[in-house]
Amino acid sequence: EAAADRIRKELAGAAALAVEIVHDSEWVGANYTDVGTVEVRELDLADLDSVRSFAAKFLEEECPLHYLICNAGKMAPPFRQTKQGYETQWAINHLGHFLLSSLLTEKLDETAGRTEEGTRLVVLTSQSHQLGQMHWDRGFLNYKEDYDP
């Protein structure tokens, strides 16, 4: 059982509402049989405008935010750039999560001030970073020549 499935089951069994963010709502229908108290919403982490829009809508609802779990990832896609011009894997795995957590940090802090349990920001990753290496001489972002994710 994948970690995401275990987390989803735990959240669905909780008394509170859990919001799971997905890139493709059609995927949900094909892969979820029972989401319980998990509300599914779309967000494209590769599109920073989508991230900003999602965060703004969430903040308008004025509901507490106890946990923000960043667990999306893209592994070894062909070279593509996002609408904002970033390499897709970098945008989804890092920039999108960073922007989302930055936009929602104040809500986490606000919620923490109203509860004894506190709040958590959890960023999950894989061990794939051990397989690669940084090529500092090539420039950090959007290196197109010899692209090898």
Side-chain angles (χ1 to χ4, degrees), residues 8-46:
R8 185 177 302 113
K9 286 179 182 178
E10 287 291 324
L11 293 174
L17 170 70
V19 176
E20 181 163 354
I21 302 167
V22 297
H23 174 70
D24 182 358
S25 60
E26 290 181 17
W27 179 89
V28 173
N31 291 281
Y32 281 26
T33 54
D34 180 22
V35 293
T37 59
V38 177
E39 183 178 314
V40 179
R41 300 184 189 182
E42 279 191 70
L43 164 63
D44 183 358
L45 285 166

Side-chain angles (χ1 to χ4, degrees), residues 93-129:
N93 295 353
H94 302 284
L95 297 179
H97 283 145
F98 178 79
L99 179 59
L100 181 64
S101 58
S102 295
L103 294 170
L104 297 179
T105 296
E106 191 173 316
K107 176 56 78 175
L108 281 167
D109 290 344
E110 179 186 307
T111 302
R114 290 189 266 148
T115 179
E116 290 182 24
E117 293 84 24
T119 59
R120 298 284 183 272
L121 170 58
V122 180
V123 181
L124 302 173
T125 185
S126 70
Q127 294 181 356
S128 297
H129 66 280

Side-chain angles (χ1 to χ4, degrees), residues 128-147:
S128 297
H129 66 280
Q130 296 172 349
L131 302 174
Q133 56 184 317
M134 281 303 298
H135 299 281
W136 297 105
D137 57 322
R138 295 182 180 175
F140 188 56
L141 298 174
N142 297 326
Y143 182 77
K144 295 177 187 175
E145 293 78 31
D146 301 324
Y147 178 76

